[in-house]
Amino acid sequence: MAEPPLLALQDIRYRLGNQTILDGVELSIAPGERLSLIGRNGAGKSTLLRILAGEPIADSGTRFAQPGATVATLPQEPDFTGHDTVAHYVTSALPDSLGPSDYRAAALLDELKLDGARIPSDLSGGEARRAALARALVAEPDVLLLDEPTNHLDLPTIEWLEATLSAWKGAYVLVSHDRRFLANLARAVLWLDRGIVRRLDRGYAEFEAWSSDILEREATERHKLDRLIERETEWAGKSIRARRTRNEGRLRALGELRKQRRQQIGPVGRAVIETGSAEQSGALAITARNISKSWDDKTVVREFSTRIFRRDRIGLIGPNGAGKTTLLRMLIGELEPDTGSVKLGANLMPVVIDQRRTALDPEKTPWEILADRNDHVLVRGQQRHVMTYLREYLFRDEQARQPVRTLSGGERNRLLLAKALAAPSNLIVLDEPTNDLDADTLDLLQEALADYDGTVLLVSHDRDFLDRLVTSTIALEGDGTAIEYAGGYSDYLLQRWPREVSAAPTVRREKAATAPRETAPAKQRLGYKRERALAELPKKMDALHAEMAALNEALADPALYTRDPKGFAAKTARLGAAQAELDAAETEWLELEMLREELKSAG
């Protein structure tokens, strides 16, 4: 017999303005469950977590909590109001019976490398997130509700959190953009989509195939309903017998079909993320030679050298405070090294996206952020109406005039991307760009950066994003050592070796192209041109299908040959050529897909 739920929601409804966020949500959380809550930015995930936590914000519906069950939350933005120290903030989550100096608080702060005597307002983003984690974990609640727990965390802390949650005895619900994190921890998926929650009792790795199947079935059902409405509308409009006999029952049924179709909400569209290319930079974008930097007698970067070429995608990783942002600023010329030199290539035009969203004034509207008081914004050299551009990034019309502070974390990040990527550039610098973005937007960002004709420098702790995008990884160890490895995060794990403690400077590793390593065999890949062809060919095939359909429709006109024999001949010839192009594209795509599968199997 199944255990009774710790938490349950029944028929939860919530509206924000004229938008339905939650539409009759039903869900339950049993003891020990490991759940991930998935949904688009703005779908209502944080709202749903707040309702689960007991906040009385729902318009209707009921929340059940098992008597005595304890619930703790990790909000996206922790509130330190009323807490003089980090220790006070953490221990405030403990029941009075345990006392304010419980050993668990001290142990957690030690594991998370936090000084309990620190003033919360002095904490960095990563430190604030670790303090909030300690507060959520300290009382060992029956249910943990974690909203984007990996935001601002470095990789060692993410791995610590994974180990902690793997051994957790209670239940938890995770909202996260980090695919690797969810795949390692979640055993079931709650999918919040268009106001309702569907449940998949399998791991996160199965989610994409499952959700795609649901959307395909919905599309089929909508198509069938559309055809039925079309037939019934034709009957109602043309049937003389229907008018004479006044078949009110069938007419009422047609009305119900139309109402049903109006109430159906199709899947939310995907954002459109494109990068603006400026004049091409030189082949060698950045050259750094023996650069070092120290702060307050602490060496942050020691004797680091690299050469970064046009179209390189470089990832920077390391613990918080290791010097990733410092190295990034030196590489783009914003910060002078203490020793060594940095040379920037010709015509370099950078666009920088920082993790603190300093470009966003919380009191301004998205319209003002993009276009100030104008109606148009310059996007990749062309004037675009600001509303058209905002819709490409999935903003609703009413959000254009609302303050930025009312947006979700993911929506703010999308707005920041919209502002930065509208500008022409040949170097994009991103410091933690993946925070708060949903999986679909991450996919589009990764594709846009992969197709970008310039150079990309990226600081990220998202292991999956790094693996899918970067061509080499610079790992900062926290002791001044910076080492460059070929490939993404998984390649870095394979290539790094146990480091010996030594007073001597650590020898730098050059890129695989100049210093290949026998201990780490190169990962077999299709290569950039073939990967790009594999991505572009389906678009080309779709375009050819559309063109052929239009040509066939034109040629179906029996009067075309008599009216325009030259046009008829030209369309006929183009139809044959398009068919040949389609056959060639399909053959090329099939060969590349087979080759990719062979390389994947061999790897």
Side-chain angles (χ1 to χ4, degrees), residues 365-378 383-388 390 400-401:
T365 67
W367 187 302
E368 291 169 330
I369 292 290
L370 291 178
D372 198 12
R373 298 177 182 178
N374 300 314
D375 291 334
H376 291 77
V377 58
L378 188 65
Q383 290 286 339
R384 301 281 298 282
H385 193 277
V386 65
M387 275 312 311
T388 302
L390 280 168
R401 298 293 192 180

Side-chain angles (χ1 to χ4, degrees), residues 82 111 117 143 208 229 250 295 368 382 389 457 483 497 515:
E111 288 185 47
V143 182
E208 290 190 8
I229 292 172
R250 190 166 177 180
W295 299 113
E368 291 169 330
Q382 295 183 343
Y389 189 53
L457 299 182
I483 305 172
W497 71 84

Side-chain angles (χ1 to χ4, degrees), residues 84-120:
D84 297 330
T85 65
V86 171
H88 184 263
Y89 170 73
V90 173
T91 56
S92 66
L94 289 167
D96 293 337
S97 59
L98 295 177
S101 58
D102 186 84
Y103 72 93
R104 281 178 294 188
L108 272 172
L109 289 173
D110 183 60
E111 288 185 47
L112 288 165
K113 297 180 174 58
L114 279 175
D115 181 358
R118 293 276 301 278
I119 300 172

Side-chain angles (χ1 to χ4, degrees), residues 473-533:
T473 301
I474 299 173
L476 291 95
E477 306 291 346
D479 59 358
T481 305
I483 305 172
E484 188 167 0
Y485 300 85
Y489 179 75
S490 297
D491 299 305
Y492 150 74
L493 291 179
L494 290 172
Q495 295 175 63
R496 68 177 179 176
W497 71 84
R499 300 176 58 228
E500 298 179 0
V501 178
S502 171
T506 304
V507 178
R508 296 183 310 278
R509 292 192 176 189
E510 299 297 332
K511 294 182 183 178
T514 57
R517 232 175 313 281
E518 295 180 0
T519 56
K523 194 173 182 179
Q524 296 191 49
R525 302 174 186 270
L526 280 175
Y528 170 74
K529 289 185 178 180
R530 288 174 173 172
E531 287 280 6
R532 185 178 178 89

Side-chain angles (χ1 to χ4, degrees), residues 300-312:
V300 180
V301 178
R302 181 191 301 114
E303 295 287 312
F304 177 71
S305 298
T306 189
R307 292 195 302 167
I308 299 173
F309 292 87
R310 186 177 64 240
R311 294 201 55 81
D312 276 353

